[in-house]
Amino acid sequence: MNIKKNKFGTAILLGRTNVGKSTLLNKIINKKISITSRKKNTTKKNIIGIHTEKKDQTIYIDTPGFQKNIFFLTLI
Ligand SMILES: Nc1nc2c(ncn2[C@@H]2O[C@H](COP(=O)(O)OP(=O)(O)O)[C@@H](O)[C@H]2O)c(=O)[nH]1
Ligand SMILES: [Mg+2]
């Protein structure tokens, strides 16, 4: 029997600010859903993108990234 199993996964884009996480997400899903900028800390909250390839699906979560000093005002 030849049953193709559907694949599903979640990928979290983690890393320092300004390394291109949001740019990568936009490229993968081919839509500008996450703001990108040369300014640090542009992404303020997690942004979710879904990429579907035939019957397989991946959920990407773009994050604000690691910060050396986390101030409350950078989170709102
Ligand atoms: N030269 C270059 N610049 C990039 C690349 N990816 C992203 N950038 C630029 O780097 C800056 C920060 O990108 P962004 O996606 O906002 O980074 P994030 O903070 O990790 O989400 C933006 O000005 C992007 O246009 C890349 O592969 N090469
Ligand atoms: Mg970002």
Side-chain angles (χ1 to χ4, degrees):
M1 212 183 320
N2 186 16
I3 300 174
K4 184 188 179 303
K5 288 188 179 158
N6 297 350
K7 295 194 181 82
F8 173 84
T10 307
I12 302 178
L13 304 175
L14 283 173
R16 295 281 288 273
T17 185
N18 243 11
V19 295
K21 298 180 298 297
S22 301
T23 306
L24 179 63
L25 172 67
N26 291 340
K27 198 83 180 166
I28 289 170
I29 67 162
N30 205 19
K31 251 196 189 99
K32 196 160 183 189
I33 59 162
S34 194
I35 304 171
T36 62
S37 165
R38 274 180 296 168
K39 272 173 59 186
K40 288 186 171 181
N41 303 320
T42 300
T43 308
K44 302 288 187 203
K45 57 181 183 177
N46 293 348
I47 307 286
I48 295 175
I50 302 174
H51 179 71
T52 307
E53 189 85 37
K54 293 183 182 158
K55 289 184 176 176
D56 303 332
Q57 204 160 57
T58 311
I59 289 184
Y60 290 91
I61 303 173
D62 182 23
T63 66
F66 300 129
Q67 296 176 39
K68 271 189 180 164
N69 301 302
I70 297 182
F71 296 103
F72 176 69
L73 284 176
T74 69
L75 299 174
I76 56 174

